[in-house]
Amino acid sequence: MWRVASVAFFLEGETKSMTPDEIPYYCRSVDWDRFIEDYPPPPHFARTVGTYSAEQIKDVQNRRFMDRVAEAWRIPFYRKRWSAVGLESGDIRSIDDIDRIPTFNSDDLKEAIESFPPFGDHHPFGREALGRMPLKIQTSSGTTGMPRVTLFDPIAWEVQGVQAARALYAQGARPGDLVQISYTNSLANAAWNAYTGLFHWLGCVPVTSGSGVVTPSERQLKYAKEWGVSGWFARGEYLARLVEVAAEMKLDLHQLKTRFLHSYLGPDIEGHFRQKLEEAWNAPVYDNYGSHEIG
């Protein structure tokens, strides 16, 4: 696994001196041709990795897994947990050994941040990397307490965007489509994940309207109607709220140019919520994974 050059300095425990006016330009931080080869965005994904056999996929997974294991031994958060169960460097020889590695959860990440403020000891770099490489701070939603911080280097940021682009492309997004993002671009990661995927890797036009607090729901629907929005990146609950607002406005949602709805439906096990949304919007609704640590 290759990474941004400056990340390697910190993983190896080295330092890199920079003059005060030297700027780590984002455009120079990644070998973009190699990035696309390693993490193909659409439509290249469907012609390359998307055609791999189960054996080929396992080979890719194993290689990347072993790269991450080698990295993790250098990071205190993982080294401490792995050593506590008797693991030593070299014990994990393939992805088949993954069940030997102890799991962790969001509570462990919260503890790491509290014990090693402000970012925790689970990243391969900390404050010393600021200004020496492009970094972006994002957090979880904070619905269960103080949001968890994640530091994104350019590779992690763009890989996440490529993952979003693959999903959106599979669900119907195409170059030139306007896709309305009804999450606010903030410290929470979801809106940025969609924006990066659409803008960097799909040739789509993100309509960053934000939540109903930022852009009233009536105006969100007016944008969609006037601009010909093709798709939405929105929570299921908000899509349902827009159905109510459209009724109040006497706006027929079936008259919009909506082709797909990229959403998060939660525990809709029987699919009743999805069915109601699809009937109201006259478009397919796609459920998706989360977009912070999972992304």
Side-chain angles (χ1 to χ4, degrees):
M1 170 66 180
W2 59 282
R3 295 180 67 85
V4 182
S6 49
V7 174
F9 280 101
F10 296 108
L11 289 178
E12 298 298 335
E14 301 176 11
T15 58
K16 182 175 183 283
S17 60
M18 297 180 69
T19 61
D21 59 348
E22 188 176 353
I23 297 175
Y25 294 122
Y26 192 85
C27 62
R28 298 177 181 173
S29 65
V30 176
D31 180 339
W32 295 107
D33 289 335
R34 185 171 179 183
F35 177 88
I36 290 173
E37 181 181 351
D38 282 359
Y39 302 100
H44 308 295
F45 174 75
R47 302 168 185 163
T48 56
V49 179
T51 68
Y52 280 8
S53 66
E55 184 178 354
Q56 288 174 305
I57 291 173
K58 180 72 175 291
D59 288 342
V60 172
Q61 290 174 333
N62 187 67
R63 172 169 52 82
R64 290 182 177 166
F65 172 77
M66 292 306 298
D67 287 341
R68 298 289 74 74
V69 167
E71 258 185 7
W73 276 114
R74 305 185 185 106
I75 300 173
F77 177 85
Y78 299 101
R79 185 171 62 246
K80 178 173 60 178
R81 280 164 174 73
W82 296 2
S83 297
V85 297
L87 286 176
E88 297 181 358
S89 180
D91 285 350
I92 305 301
R93 299 181 181 180
S94 78
I95 197 170
D96 294 330
D97 295 325
I98 193 171
D99 58 354
R100 299 183 61 187
I101 297 177
T103 60
F104 62 92
N105 57 33
S106 59
D107 291 333
D108 296 313
L109 296 178
K110 292 177 185 177
E111 181 183 351
I113 292 171
E114 292 171 358
S115 300
F116 299 91
F119 304 135
D121 63 345
H122 57 293
H123 296 98
F125 37 70
R127 290 192 65 89
E128 75 282 352
L130 304 186
R132 300 184 183 184
M133 60 183 295
L135 287 175
K136 198 171 192 306
I137 293 178
Q138 297 295 143
T139 70
S140 61
S141 62
T143 54
T144 57
M146 186 68 176
R148 299 183 303 281
V149 175
T150 296
L151 296 176
F152 283 91
D153 65 59
I155 297 293
W157 188 250
E158 298 298 342
V159 165
Q160 179 183 236
V162 167
Q163 289 175 323
R166 290 175 180 174
L168 286 159
Y169 186 86
Q171 294 165 14
R174 291 296 183 271
D177 282 344
L178 276 71
V179 180
Q180 196 149 332
I181 303 173
S182 66
Y183 284 68
T184 301
N185 289 74
S186 64
L187 282 173
N189 197 31
W192 289 106
N193 186 25
Y195 173 86
T196 305
L198 292 164
F199 189 60
H200 291 193
W201 301 109
L202 269 181
C204 293
V205 181
V207 180
T208 52
S209 55
S211 70
V213 175
V214 176
T215 305
S217 297
E218 294 86 350
R219 178 153 300 182
Q220 300 240 18
L221 290 169
K222 288 179 181 179
Y223 287 155
K225 180 181 179 181
E226 294 298 322
W227 297 349
V229 166
S230 306
W232 289 73
F233 181 94
R235 287 187 63 84
E237 294 86 349
Y238 189 59
L239 291 174
R241 172 57 184 157
L242 289 174
V243 173
E244 296 175 347
V245 173
E248 295 167 2
M249 296 170 60
K250 295 182 171 49
L251 171 66
D252 182 1
L253 289 177
H254 289 203
Q255 293 181 350
L256 301 183
K257 295 184 178 180
T258 312
R259 296 203 323 273
F260 65 93
L261 300 162
H262 180 108
S263 190
Y264 303 94
L265 299 177
D268 183 37
I269 305 301
E270 301 296 329
H272 300 310
F273 185 36
R274 184 202 302 262
Q275 182 179 356
K276 289 181 179 179
L277 289 176
E278 290 185 336
E279 291 173 353
W281 283 86
N282 193 36
V285 176
Y286 298 97
D287 199 6
N288 295 271
Y289 289 110
S291 61
H292 191 54
E293 287 101 351
I294 293 176

